[in-house]
Amino acid sequence: LARVMGCRGCHTNDLTGGVFLSEPRVFELVAPNLTRMREKYDDRAWLRLFRTGAKADGQLAVGMPITGFQRLTDQEVAHLVAYVRSVPAQDNPSLGTTHLWPLARIGLLTGKFKLEDIAGDAPDSPAVLADRTTTDRGRHIAHIACVECHGPQLQGGGALQTPPLLVVKAYSEDRFARLMHTGITAAGTESASGLMSDMGRRRFSALTDGEVADLHRYLQAR
């Protein structure tokens, strides 16, 4: 689950943190060392983070794809927390902190960068609860794992210019499974931007065959 949700991507495999997104002289977003940061979080604080995006100090966890995390079940949250607590504690002396240069601050003031775009939905809204409690495993996986890049309605676009997930209708079950586990598209190539190929190998290869089949069925039927 930590792989599928990208925890081990931004926070690195040993969860000691690192830079995960930067624009020179604009911003540098640093994922914290969870093996040390976890000391500030009890069970209620973890749940608040996953449901609202609020860190232990009450500030927004900028860069955390909260829309997907909001839709995790309570059991999935418990599993993730148990995993984070199980990883051996390590220091990361070279780890910096998130920094916003003046251009980023101006962008926030003028509305170019909108915190509400990354703050997720109202944590107990009907839409969130429906995705969190659905018995359709394919739908649940789509709305926790795919929304980060493809948008809340799986419509694509955004800064990454991802395709709408209607493209899955062009994939047979076998070719979709190959994409999710190896990053190879229906055409037998890497994805156009390389993003999906990377996500498939690093994250979605952790999904079981059954989970991939359920996701394919859900996306085909939309």
Side-chain angles (χ1 to χ4, degrees), residues 6 53 172 179:
S172 66
L179 173 68

Short mmCIF file of all heavy atoms in Angstrom, two decimals, residues 6 53 172 179:
data_model
loop_
_atom_site.label_atom_id
_atom_site.label_comp_id
_atom_site.label_asym_id
_atom_site.label_seq_id
_atom_site.Cartn_x
_atom_site.Cartn_y
_atom_site.Cartn_z
N GLY A 6 2.51 5.87 -3.15
CA GLY A 6 3.64 6.75 -3.43
C GLY A 6 4.42 7.19 -2.21
O GLY A 6 5.31 8.04 -2.33
N GLY A 53 -5.28 16.42 5.50
CA GLY A 53 -4.03 16.99 5.00
C GLY A 53 -3.34 17.88 6.01
O GLY A 53 -2.33 18.52 5.68
N SER A 172 -6.98 -4.29 -23.71
CA SER A 172 -7.49 -5.57 -23.25
C SER A 172 -7.04 -5.79 -21.82
O SER A 172 -6.15 -5.08 -21.32
CB SER A 172 -6.94 -6.70 -24.14
OG SER A 172 -5.53 -6.81 -23.97
N LEU A 179 0.69 -3.04 -18.70
CA LEU A 179 0.96 -1.63 -18.43
C LEU A 179 1.15 -1.38 -16.94
O LEU A 179 2.10 -0.71 -16.53
CB LEU A 179 -0.21 -0.78 -18.94
CG LEU A 179 -0.16 0.72 -18.59
CD1 LEU A 179 0.98 1.40 -19.34
CD2 LEU A 179 -1.48 1.40 -18.92
#
